[in-house]
Amino acid sequence: MNNGAMLVRAGWLIDGTGTEPRRQVALTIEGGMVTQVAPWEATPRGLPTQDLGEFFVLPGLINMHAHTILPGDGTSFADWMALPDELLLLQAHTNALAALHSGVTTIRDCGGKGRLMFRLRDAIRAGIVAGPRFVLSGRPLTITGGHCRYFGGEVDGADAMRQAARQLLAEGADFIKIMAAGGGTVGTYAEFPTFDLDELTAAVREAHRIGKLASCHCIATESISLALDAGADHIEHCSFMAPDRLWRYDESIARRVAASGVYVTPTLQVGADSMIKMKERHALGIATPEEAQIVVETPNRDDDTIANARSLHELGVPLVAGNDAGWRYTRFDTLYRELQLLVAAGLTSLEAIGAATGRAAAACQLADRIGTLVPGRVADLIGVQHDPTSDLAALAAPALVLQGGRVIVDRR
Ligand SMILES: [Zn+2]
């Protein structure tokens, strides 16, 4: 008779809108959606209840930057991409489950090979396997020989960009991801931009034509300007790397980023995770020459990354939480570490939570579906034992994960 209706009694509710935690609130869930949020005493009686009266309840987390087909175990990118597609897809499923079980109910995947991520999402939607909601770019567009070329998105020239973007959108891409600079792929030049402005603009326009978004991977400082000129909606990394490969924050470009209103995913964790591993490997004498050089010459490199993010945040740039899971040593069940690093960059814990919930959903044009726990939103939520606003590590292994009102994990 209750149409699957249920109640979640929360000791504290952090609803993802940025408001302070509220005491003793209950959520009514019907048909997988939140239909009412009210004080305990004002909620319907007799419904099946998840009693989280001693817990903090938050929206399911959104990882704004991940590569779900990659292992996140330090395997070299080129070696990993030599594996057959079937193995990449199975790894993607394993990662998707690890994320979901850690409370990440949505992943914005910033690049996978071929059509694999579309197929994984098809399998999740068909109920063949479990997994989070996916916001997908499919193959990132990259110049011939460019960053992540193994994914199959090499393209040159404005006409070809238009065609490639149209193809991705037809396959089901939610946004177009463009490698506007080189990156961690061996043989690419992170310190220099890649595409010309007319190429970037052609791809961005195709996304905008049908109301979708375009995002640029920017390491080189000049690539940030180009992404803004092209009208991109989102910048990944935003690292301010000068042509001499040193990181040099550029105030005038940062002000342009702020004025444009684009979202920035600073991906702080991926560098921090790999620095920890490289230092361990260096201490054991098993670091590669490149790793040893980084450890010896730039042991505090992460401080620069955090300082960049702090400067952007202080200028009012909306930062969102994506940890680049899959890349190098970053795993899918540790998004809380990116939130901790956002706090190191000057966000309050509540703002960091917003960067992985309400603000993240807005950045994906999904604010009317997910990211907050208010009536009319999907009942993706987590329950954690300790107050995440005083220690974000509380988010590490949620006691309860609900996806669309269904219990996925119950560690109580
Ligand atoms: Zn990435």
Side-chain angles (χ1 to χ4, degrees):
M1 284 304 289
N2 61 30
N3 187 28
M6 63 179 284
L7 213 60
V8 173
R9 261 164 58 97
W12 293 262
L13 175 69
I14 300 172
D15 68 7
T17 66
T19 55
E20 293 290 330
R22 272 181 291 158
R23 274 292 273 149
Q24 299 187 339
V25 173
L27 298 95
T28 309
I29 296 169
E30 293 170 83
M33 309 289 285
V34 176
T35 53
Q36 191 192 44
V37 179
W40 282 0
E41 58 275 14
T43 47
R45 294 181 183 280
L47 292 179
T49 298
Q50 288 290 345
D51 191 354
L52 293 167
E54 302 295 318
F55 293 76
F56 289 77
V57 171
L58 299 83
L61 303 179
I62 303 171
N63 188 344
M64 288 295 288
H65 189 129
H67 301 280
T68 316
I69 67 162
L70 300 181
D73 66 357
T75 306
S76 98
F77 186 35
D79 288 351
W80 183 256
M81 293 312 296
L83 294 178
D85 286 357
E86 292 84 351
L87 269 61
L88 303 182
L89 188 57
L90 288 167
Q91 179 70 61
H93 176 232
T94 296
N95 292 339
L97 275 185
L100 183 60
H101 290 180
S102 77
V104 173
T105 50
T106 301
I107 293 178
R108 176 173 174 268
D109 188 278
C110 280
K113 184 183 176 193
R115 301 187 182 199
L116 292 180
M117 287 308 301
F118 298 128
R119 294 293 88 88
L120 177 60
R121 182 170 65 183
D122 291 343
I124 293 168
R125 285 179 174 168
I128 297 168
V129 294
R133 174 189 302 264
F134 274 104
V135 177
L136 295 180
S137 62
R139 306 171 292 287
L141 302 181
T142 194
I143 60 167
T144 292
H147 180 43
C148 291
R149 59 184 176 273
Y150 309 113
F151 291 159
E154 287 176 305
V155 56
D156 303 282
D159 280 346
M161 290 291 274
R162 231 180 322 271
Q163 197 274 334
R166 286 175 185 170
Q167 179 66 40
L168 284 164
L169 294 163
E171 289 173 23
D174 300 297
F175 67 107
I176 298 295
K177 167 85 183 290
I178 309 165
M179 299 305 193
T185 307
V186 173
T188 68
Y189 300 86
E191 68 275 32
F192 293 113
T194 53
F195 291 113
D196 290 333
L197 179 58
D198 67 323
E199 295 174 301
L200 293 177
T201 307
V204 171
R205 276 207 189 129
E206 286 311 309
H208 288 178
R209 192 189 306 284
I210 56 170
K212 301 206 173 179
L213 303 178
S215 179
C216 288
H217 154 108
C218 297
I219 308 285
T221 307
E222 194 187 339
S223 68
I224 300 171
S225 304
L226 283 163
L228 295 175
D229 290 340
D233 308 284
H234 201 125
I235 292 177
E236 315 295 330
H237 317 300
C238 204
S239 299
F240 297 99
M241 186 185 272
D244 59 7
R245 292 191 65 83
L246 293 178
W247 291 29
R248 213 172 289 122
Y249 174 67
D250 184 314
E251 175 84 23
S252 67
I253 290 176
R255 287 193 181 281
R256 279 195 66 206
V257 173
S260 72
V262 299
Y263 289 92
V264 168
T265 317
T267 61
L268 305 171
Q269 188 188 334
V270 67
D273 283 349
S274 74
M275 185 61 81
I276 291 167
K277 286 288 179 190
M278 287 189 293
K279 284 180 176 168
E280 280 173 15
R281 288 163 56 80
H282 185 61
L284 292 169
I286 56 169
T288 65
E290 191 214 9
E291 289 171 340
Q293 189 185 1
I294 292 169
V295 168
V296 172
E297 292 179 10
T298 54
N300 302 315
R301 195 176 62 173
D302 299 332
D303 297 346
D304 294 341
T305 323
I306 290 171
N308 274 352
R310 176 182 294 110
S311 303
L312 292 170
H313 172 62
E314 284 170 359
L315 289 174
V317 174
L319 303 183
V320 290
N323 62 2
D324 222 342
W327 193 255
R328 297 227 166 90
Y329 291 98
T330 297
R331 293 156 41 125
F332 284 78
D333 58 356
T334 57
L335 184 63
Y336 73 97
R337 285 181 33 72
E338 181 72 23
L339 273 59
Q340 291 174 324
L341 291 163
L342 286 169
V343 167
L347 278 71
T348 65
S349 333
L350 205 55
E351 287 171 337
I353 290 168
T357 56
R359 177 184 278 174
C364 299
Q365 301 190 120
L366 287 171
D368 60 343
R369 297 281 299 159
I370 59 170
T372 52
L373 292 174
V374 299
R377 301 299 179 275
V378 176
D380 289 350
L381 64 84
I382 61 176
V384 300
Q385 204 164 4
H386 301 290
D387 181 0
T389 66
S390 56
D391 181 4
L392 287 161
L395 300 174
L400 187 76
V401 178
L402 248 59
Q403 183 186 36
R406 280 185 48 234
V407 175
I408 299 296
V409 169
D410 191 344
R411 298 186 174 97
R412 288 173 295 171

